[in-house]
Each structure stands twice: as structure tokens, then as C-alpha cells.
Amino acid sequence: MSPQATPEEIAGIQEEIERIGFRPFINPGVERKVIAVLGELDVRKADLVDHFSTFPGVERVELISELWKLASRKYHPHDTVVQIGDVRIGSETIVIAAGPCSVESEPQLLEVAEAVKKAGAHLLRGGAFKPRTSPYSFQGLGEEGLRILAKAREKTGLPVVTEVMDTHELPMVAKYADVLQIGTRNMQNYPLLKKVGMMGKPVLLKRGLGSKVRDLLMSAEYIISEGNDQVVLCERGITTFEDSTRNTTDINAIPVLKHWTHLPVMLDPSHATGDSRYVPAIALAAIAAGADGLLIEVHNDPPRAKSDGPQSLRPDAFESLMVQMGKVASAIGKTI
Ligand code: PEP
Ligand code: MN
């Protein structure tokens, strides 16, 4: 819309979009109103550009060539900030989510939560429902794990990030979680993405281990198109022919995503490398590359961890890494 468009002209466009069977999306709160027209494309698409160009208040009508629309910077040029209580992801402050891979017991989680809080983490991570490659591996504590997470939040004040694996468990997980994590194996679980979009809670969407950056954005589009733009993307390493590490960190994905989308981008160096010895280097690289945050596994006793011990930092190593990350952040004009 032109900067001078009146509220009536904007409302008129929205009505017209609905009248012809499409869905209007509008960015609230920005000085320049961009209205997205969403729906299934067919031969009428060229006509639609002409059609809307004639309406009062319209400055320009453009087809967004990417398959993702609402996630695109063309629709939403400014960075989206995802707000979780006082924590803002996508701002000058790099957000650190830290905690164990799995919630194993109350003493274990409370110990790790206190330690990461003391070191300066902003969010507490921990899985209660675990997507394990083998059905014989620890599957998580389920609702008991969620209750323990809520207790740790109460004690530390840290908002909780936890994975939801299934639409059936979504209401339960949403009752306890501050951020709903969609894991790598579920990135293309479209029914789950849609349902999570309807919950209106911040979402941490991890990249599929065999998915392209484009596919990640399409998955984000599923969530946003249900009315929830509080989506944080997370690069967590992809499968390649390289087997010296568990996965291969696609560091390129950070600047590419920052270019293509307004959504904040985090990186998970723990799953990306699978080895606690390499986690600090990749965490620092992610900050230098422009990541808005990091998701880091920390365990009080990694050799005895029920999942992902080899890639989990001990609390003292995490504390040193926080200091290092602060230095890299300040070198690029950010803080932690
Ligand atoms: C996790 O964060 O513990 C996890 C299971 O991650 P991913 O889905 O990336 O493997
Ligand atoms: Mn893990």
C-alpha cells in the first residue's frame, strides 16, 4: 500500500481479497503496510496483479516468486523478533538456550538449570519426549519430564524450550512449554506444523537432517500461515558423506537464511558436531556468521547421560564458552 493509504482503503483491499477466495495477511505495526494475498495459484495469477493495481491506496502489486511468502523478506522486510517473556530472539542480544538433551530426573535437571542460569543462559532446554533412532533407547520421561521442567523454570526464572513430537501430545506439552521445539525428524510433519501454528506459542523449528534451506522455509510457512509468526529457525547440522562428525554444520545456512527470511536463526552446535570437543568452535563460528542464538546441550555428568552425552558440555566448559561467546559477540557489535 502507499504510505498515505487510509485505513478504509486497507480494509477495502482485505475485503476484496476475501471476496475472490484468497486470504489476506497484513503486518501489524509497521509504518508501510504490505498485504499478502495467499491462496492456491492458478492461471488467474497474472490477472490478479492487474486487478489489485487499480484499487485506491495500492502502490504496487508484486508476485513473490519464492514458494514461501509470509516467511519472505519481500513480504516482511524487517527482522522479526520472537519474544519469550523478557527474552527477545532476533535482536542485538544473542540468545543462549542451554540444558540437557533429556530431562532424566529432578535433581539432574535442577542442577543443570542452576548451572546454565549462573553462566548467563537465557532459556532452558530439555527434552521430555525424545525422538530416538532406536526404540530401545531412552524415550524421555513424558509428562513427568514436563513437570520437572516447569519446576526448574520456577526456580531459575528461565523460560523452557522442549520438543513436541506428536499432535496428540501437543496440548499437554503446550501447557508446560514456553517454546515448542519441532525436531529435525519432524520438520516435514505437516499436520504437526499446522497444529503448532494454531497454538500461538513461540516455535523453534529445527532443520531436517536431509532438508534444504528452502524446505525449512516452506515448513516455517506452514506455521506462519496458521497465524503464528513467532518462529525461530534452527540449523542443527545435516547429513553429508562426511563422517568425521555426527552431522555437518551448514554454516552457510545462517547468512542465506538471514538474507531470505525475516525470522530469527539459531544454531545448535551440539547436534551439528556430535562431539563436545568441537562444540565451542562451531558456537563461536555461528555467532560470527550472524546467528541470533544458540541451542547448546549441557549435562552435569556427560558419561552417564541417558542421551547425547558425548556432545554435552559440562557446566564449567559451558561457563567458559559463555565468556568466549561474549567476546565474539562484542566484536560484531552484539551482546550476550
Ligand atoms: C534435541 O534437540 O535434543 C534433538 C533431538 O534435536 P534434533 O531434532 O535436531 O536431533
Ligand atoms: Mn540431543
Side-chain angles (χ1 to χ4, degrees):
M1 304 299 291
S2 86
Q4 292 81 30
T6 64
E8 293 72 31
E9 287 169 343
I10 291 168
I13 294 290
Q14 287 175 285
E15 275 164 32
E16 178 61 10
I17 293 168
E18 279 164 6
R19 192 190 66 77
I20 62 171
F22 285 76
R23 285 198 295 157
F25 263 80
I26 186 159
N27 278 330
V30 290
E31 65 292 347
R32 188 176 189 73
K33 297 282 181 247
V34 179
I35 306 178
V37 185
L38 293 180
E40 280 178 38
L41 289 180
D42 58 24
V43 287
R44 290 180 299 160
K45 67 182 178 184
D47 302 348
L48 276 181
V49 172
D50 291 343
H51 179 65
F52 282 107
S53 301
T54 62
F55 277 70
V58 172
E59 183 175 279
R60 180 159 47 91
V61 185
E62 226 178 80
L63 280 173
I64 298 182
S65 47
E66 289 94 16
L67 286 170
W68 55 93
K69 317 287 178 191
L70 301 173
S72 165
R73 276 215 189 262
K74 284 194 187 142
Y75 164 65
H76 190 299
H78 304 295
D79 286 347
T80 286
V81 173
V82 172
Q83 183 108 23
I84 307 132
D86 296 335
V87 179
R88 289 161 52 83
I89 312 183
S91 68
E92 292 312 304
T93 303
I94 291 163
V95 171
I96 309 298
C101 178
S102 307
V103 179
E104 298 169 13
S105 70
E106 190 174 312
Q108 171 250 4
L109 187 74
L110 292 182
E111 185 179 337
V112 178
E114 298 284 2
V116 301
K117 162 82 184 186
K118 184 169 143 267
H122 307 89
L123 301 170
L124 175 64
R125 64 144 290 147
F129 292 92
K130 296 305 301 179
R132 304 305 299 280
T133 304
S134 162
Y136 310 118
S137 300
F138 177 60
Q139 304 286 309
L141 295 180
E143 187 163 15
E144 175 58 13
L146 297 172
R147 274 195 285 267
I148 296 172
L149 281 164
K151 193 166 247 183
R153 170 177 51 211
E154 214 173 281
K155 291 225 154 159
T156 61
L158 295 177
V160 161
V161 184
T162 196
E163 178 162 355
V164 58
M165 284 173 52
D166 195 280
T167 52
H168 302 295
E169 291 150 0
L170 179 55
M172 186 211 293
V173 178
K175 206 169 85 193
Y176 296 93
D178 298 291
V179 180
L180 295 166
Q181 175 175 327
I182 306 276
T184 194
R185 295 160 186 83
N186 265 322
M187 189 204 82
Q188 288 180 314
N189 181 339
Y190 299 119
L192 181 61
L193 297 176
K194 284 189 192 176
K195 283 259 160 60
V196 160
M198 293 171 198
M199 298 302 297
K201 282 219 162 188
V203 179
L204 180 75
L205 177 63
K206 299 188 87 174
R207 178 179 178 181
L209 38 89
S211 297
K212 294 182 180 177
V213 167
R214 291 174 202 284
D215 303 327
L216 174 61
L217 287 172
M218 292 312 303
S219 293
E221 190 78 13
Y222 266 91
I223 300 170
I224 309 174
S225 67
E226 294 298 334
N228 181 5
D229 72 346
Q230 295 291 287
V231 180
V232 181
L233 305 171
C234 184
E235 162 63 32
R236 47 79 71 210
I238 50 175
T239 305
T240 67
F241 58 81
E242 181 52 62
D243 63 1
S244 58
T245 49
R246 183 177 178 187
N247 291 290
T248 299
T249 312
D250 180 9
I251 203 87
N252 297 2
I254 297 171
V256 171
L257 284 167
K258 295 300 292 180
H259 178 204
W260 286 353
T261 180
H262 52 88
L263 299 173
V265 180
M266 289 181 73
L267 188 133
D268 170 352
S270 309
H271 292 86
T273 61
D275 189 325
S276 58
R277 292 170 297 185
Y278 309 139
V279 165
I282 300 307
L284 299 177
I287 293 175
D292 298 297
L294 289 152
L295 184 68
I296 302 177
E297 287 186 341
V298 178
H299 198 282
N300 52 332
D301 188 5
R304 283 182 197 79
K306 291 196 173 169
S307 62
D308 289 349
Q311 68 194 35
S312 299
L313 295 178
R314 291 175 193 275
D316 58 339
F318 175 68
E319 207 173 325
S320 320
L321 177 58
M322 284 295 290
V323 175
Q324 295 298 311
M325 291 192 294
K327 291 182 187 164
V328 176
S330 75
I332 57 162
K334 293 188 181 174
T335 53
I336 288 215

